[in-house]
Amino acid sequence: MKTIDELLAEGVTGKRVFVRADLNVPLDGTTITDDGRIRAVLPTVKALAEAGARVVVASHLGRPKGAPDPAFSLGPAAARLGELLGAEVAFATDTVGESAQAVVAGLADGRVAVIENLRFNAGETAKDDAERAAFADRLADLADVYVGDGFGAVHRKHASVFDLPGKLPHYAGHLIATEVGVLKKLTDDVQRPYAVALGGSKVSDKLAVIDQLLGKADRILIGGGMAFTFLKAKGYEVGSSLLQEDQIPAVTEYLERAEKLGVELVLPVDVVVSPAFPDLKAKAASEHTAVDADRMPEGQMGLDIGPKTGELYAGKLADAATVFWNGPMGVFEHPDYAEGTKAVAQALVDSDGFTVVGGGDSAAAVRTLGFDETAFGHISTGGGASLEYLEGKTLPGLAALED
């Protein structure tokens, strides 16, 4: 995989460089609520612009239906990128049409443009190879060189991620090079003890990565909504908590396999319960209490790991040389159910080991809860991509850059 450092050494002055970024930021209307992904691509964009390239930044945002939708415009992201760069960023109001062609043609050396949401064109996400390739051809007309730096999208077989690199000289940006280096430390060159904390709502989303980690990790800590399927598999009452009954056989098999392999698969010893799911917008105080995990009352909903579990998990992470965390421990968006996620995040901050926050909601929680991002070894920009890499899958966007 060639990197941007090699491209810069070759010289980019006057060249149109297409940067496939991940500007898929959360929006409240037109207000960006977390600009982490925009900041993550800054090193690549800055380096190219300072070297005299004409930088064309492209990304998706949300899930529009293959047609323009103002609710998913990249306009706010383009404006924020300009603020962070301290320079004007031109914005094209389409992807490959008249506006994009004119904006790119008008770029001077060292200047940056953003084209509109790639998913406004159905060819970006098409299952049909020919339709995707046709869209990639039109994107290729806008550039001389391709730089892949949208790590959060490399697990997608989309036109700008998979097809386009094959049509242009291609390189990995700083972010992708960093992300791949980190993931190799979690798979090929692991320092032990290796502890993994997994949370989130659905256990089905994590089964494949647990399957892989059972042969690699020393400890796996389970939290979030997915924990209740594990607790049910142990025969515990879980009330009205999130439960995937169809996954109980798989979970039971993993519990048995972990014991045979000598892997610590650690479940909550207490949970915070409430009669109902809280109003996340109002964030008003709600009725809740901590109960032992094997004493959950019927009709109560588990919404966070309890304080004893928070202490237990912090202890299990304390001496780890490598820690990977993906998925919150509870409904961290509400202050009554954020303590478990805070406990795990703080344990990573306090750790002397190599700590990785696996993107997605975990990265959002770190920022929402006010942690200093520099206190972690690495905060990934791609939760889904990170998990699929750890599952041992081939990621289309990385494979395209390897060729």
Side-chain angles (χ1 to χ4, degrees):
M1 184 185 294
K2 289 186 177 180
T3 69
I4 187 175
D5 290 332
E6 294 170 84
L7 172 60
L8 292 169
E10 294 167 8
V12 293
T13 301
K15 290 184 179 179
R16 300 170 302 162
V17 181
F18 187 102
V19 177
R20 201 331 180 160
D22 180 10
L23 308 181
N24 185 28
V25 292
L27 293 170
D28 182 2
T30 59
T31 301
I32 296 170
T33 57
D34 181 354
D35 67 356
R37 285 177 171 165
I38 302 175
R39 287 185 284 112
V41 79
L42 279 179
T44 290
V45 174
K46 275 185 175 180
L48 290 167
E50 289 172 358
R54 303 177 183 186
V55 187
V56 182
V57 180
S59 176
H60 70 286
L61 192 152
R63 297 180 183 273
K65 305 299 183 182
D69 183 338
F72 298 106
S73 174
L74 278 175
R80 181 58 180 151
L81 178 61
E83 292 172 358
L84 293 169
L85 288 171
E88 182 181 356
V89 169
F91 180 62
T93 56
D94 57 27
T95 55
V96 291
E98 292 182 3
S99 178
Q101 294 172 34
V103 165
V104 173
L107 275 180
D109 293 357
R111 303 312 295 261
V112 179
V114 173
I115 63 174
E116 187 54 284
N117 192 337
L118 292 163
R119 291 185 183 175
F120 285 2
N121 189 302
E124 169 67 1
T125 59
K127 301 294 185 185
D128 181 77
D129 291 348
E131 186 178 354
R132 272 199 335 274
F135 182 51
D137 283 335
R138 298 186 69 187
L139 291 171
D141 289 340
L142 300 175
D144 305 304
V145 181
Y146 177 93
V147 172
D149 215 31
F151 180 73
V154 293
H155 58 315
R156 306 294 186 191
K157 193 176 181 181
H158 291 169
S160 66
V161 176
F162 177 75
D163 301 270
L164 183 56
K167 301 178 183 297
L168 295 168
H170 47 270
Y171 303 80
H174 289 308
L175 175 61
I176 279 187
T178 298
E179 294 272 14
V180 170
V182 166
L183 287 168
K184 285 183 176 178
K185 289 185 178 181
L186 298 177
T187 52
D188 302 332
D189 186 24
V190 180
Q191 300 298 306
R192 297 186 180 279
Y194 179 17
V196 177
L198 296 175
S201 57
K202 294 182 178 180
V203 69
S204 56
D205 292 341
K206 301 293 196 303
L207 286 179
V209 75
I210 293 172
D211 183 64
Q212 287 293 315
L213 289 170
L214 279 173
K216 296 175 181 176
D218 299 299
R219 301 169 195 148
I220 302 175
L221 318 179
I222 302 295
M226 62 183 280
F228 297 102
T229 302
F230 279 88
L231 293 173
K232 187 71 172 180
K234 297 276 285 183
Y236 297 167
E237 170 64 48
V238 297
S240 59
S241 305
L242 187 62
L243 175 66
Q244 290 185 285
E245 290 200 53
D246 61 321
Q247 302 299 331
I248 289 176
V251 164
T252 301
E253 191 271 326
Y254 287 167
L255 288 167
E256 293 171 353
R257 181 143 58 102
E259 187 173 359
K260 289 178 182 177
L261 292 171
V263 176
E264 286 188 78
L265 207 164
V266 190
L267 303 181
V269 294
D270 64 338
V271 294
V272 179
V273 299
S274 175
F277 196 84
D279 182 344
L280 297 183
K281 289 189 176 180
K283 295 187 179 178
S286 63
E287 180 185 338
H288 64 281
T289 187
V291 299
D292 289 345
D294 59 353
R295 297 280 193 276
M296 280 189 64
E298 290 187 22
Q300 294 282 308
M301 179 183 298
L303 297 172
D304 193 13
I305 59 172
K308 289 188 287 188
T309 304
E311 290 182 16
L312 171 66
Y313 285 10
K316 295 292 184 181
L317 298 173
D319 67 340
T322 304
V323 181
F324 175 71
W325 168 36
N326 179 278
M329 296 291 107
V331 185
F332 74 92
E333 298 92 341
H334 193 285
D336 289 343
Y337 310 105
E339 293 304 314
T341 301
K342 282 183 184 177
V344 169
Q346 188 63 52
L348 267 69
V349 170
D350 294 339
S351 171
D352 293 326
F354 178 60
T355 58
V356 180
V357 179
D361 286 340
S362 310
V366 164
R367 299 183 183 108
T368 299
L369 299 175
F371 285 91
D372 179 357
E373 294 178 45
T374 64
F376 301 88
H378 179 70
I379 299 178
S380 178
T381 57
S386 295
L387 287 177
E388 291 198 14
Y389 189 102
L390 293 179
E391 289 167 18
K393 292 183 178 179
T394 297
L395 306 188
L398 297 185
L401 292 175
E402 292 281 4
D403 294 338

